[in-house]
Amino acid sequence: EIVMTQSPATLSVSPGERATLSCRASQSVSSNLAWYQQKPGQAPRLLIYGASTRATGIPARFSGSGSGTEFTLTISSLQSEDFAVYYCQQYNNWPPRFTFGPGTKVDIK
Amino acid sequence: EVQLVESGGGLVQPGRSLRLSCAASGFTFDDYAMHWVRQAPGKGLEWVSGISWNSGSIGYADSVKGRFTISRDNAKNSLYLQMNSLRAEDTALYYCAKDMGLEPSHPFDYWGQGTLVTVSS
């Protein structure tokens, strides 16, 4: 099973600042990596897929990069609505197996 | 507008069964794979199971294999999860999620609001 890790567990950022979140896979997942945002009491929302492609309706301040085992989600200028938990997910397996990272909580500094 | 509405959750005793349903609308249901994802209280996301557009490809997490069965009825635009031999560790909010493709091998672009399953005596 591919194990996903995320760092840091919590990131304290001031509004307007840049946030950089990391995700690592225990083995290569190529570019089969997605990022989700989850706010309290809400379902997750797809932000990024294919490691760097923004999903429909996602603002340009969200960007993803990386391939293989190392990935990064960058939020260029944090808005109040961006404070949430962010999960990475790999989808590189067949038969179907999906694993999520443990999440990074982005909170207000 | 894509809508996924889960139902069937509730309080159940350990060892008993429960069947979850997900009603889909706003897209061509039989053009996409579907998934169940769960989230224990205060915890992260765990993929449970996925099924292809025609039920030809199915996958399960090791934690539920042999106990849970995913199925779909394309005529009714519905996804199901039959959960048997339930354990306390199955307690979670269960989300229905739409895959981006025909086979269950892509990210999940739409999610329902979830149905809560509590396993306790």
Side-chain angles (χ1 to χ4, degrees):
Chain A
E1 176 185 315
I2 299 176
V3 177
M4 307 301 291
T5 56
Q6 291 185 243
S7 61
T10 302
L11 185 61
S12 296
V13 186
S14 299
E17 287 188 340
R18 181 186 194 91
T20 302
L21 288 66
S22 295
C23 174
R24 175 176 290 178
S26 60
Q27 62 190 77
S28 178
V29 298
S30 186
S31 294
N32 296 316
L33 191 285
W35 290 93
Y36 297 85
Q37 176 194 66
Q38 187 179 33
K39 298 178 182 179
Q42 295 186 18
R45 177 174 71 146
L46 178 66
L47 297 176
I48 300 283
Y49 63 94
S52 61
T53 302
R54 277 189 302 277
T56 302
I58 301 304
R61 64 181 180 272
F62 291 92
S63 63
S65 63
S67 66
T69 62
E70 302 281 344
F71 301 89
T72 300
L73 174 70
T74 301
I75 311 171
S76 59
S77 176
L78 267 156
Q79 306 299 301
S80 57
E81 61 266 31
D82 301 335
F83 293 97
V85 179
Y86 292 83
Y87 295 95
C88 61
Q89 176 208 38
Q90 69 82 18
Y91 50 98
N92 195 53
N93 297 126
W94 191 266
R97 286 284 189 279
F98 298 81
T99 45
F100 291 90
T104 290
K105 182 179 181 181
V106 177
D107 65 16
I108 299 175
K109 187 173 183 180
Chain B
E1 179 194 6
V2 172
Q3 284 200 315
L4 299 169
V5 180
E6 303 92 339
S7 61
L11 175 64
V12 61
Q13 294 179 327
R16 303 298 290 265
S17 299
L18 207 58
R19 188 193 196 208
L20 305 184
S21 299
C22 171
S25 61
F27 65 101
T28 305
F29 185 69
D30 54 8
D31 274 353
Y32 296 95
M34 297 293 296
H35 300 269
W36 290 100
V37 178
R38 69 185 180 183
Q39 187 168 34
K43 302 297 184 182
L45 302 170
E46 181 188 16
W47 174 77
V48 173
S49 182
I51 185 168
S52 65
W53 68 282
N54 64 351
S55 305
S57 299
I58 287 175
Y60 297 97
D62 290 342
S63 57
V64 307
K65 197 178 298 183
R67 300 188 299 122
F68 290 11
T69 301
I70 192 171
S71 62
R72 63 189 294 162
D73 185 336
N74 288 344
K76 295 183 177 179
N77 288 351
S78 293
L79 176 72
Y80 306 101
L81 186 68
Q82 177 67 43
M83 305 186 295
N84 298 333
S85 304
L86 282 161
R87 306 166 179 167
E89 54 265 36
D90 296 317
T91 294
L93 186 64
Y94 283 73
Y95 292 105
C96 166
K98 173 186 167 293
D99 193 287
M100 293 180 73
L102 284 166
E103 298 296 326
S105 57
H106 309 89
F108 313 151
D109 57 353
Y110 290 94
W111 298 61
Q113 287 304 306
T115 187
L116 182 63
V117 173
T118 303
V119 184
S120 174
S121 54

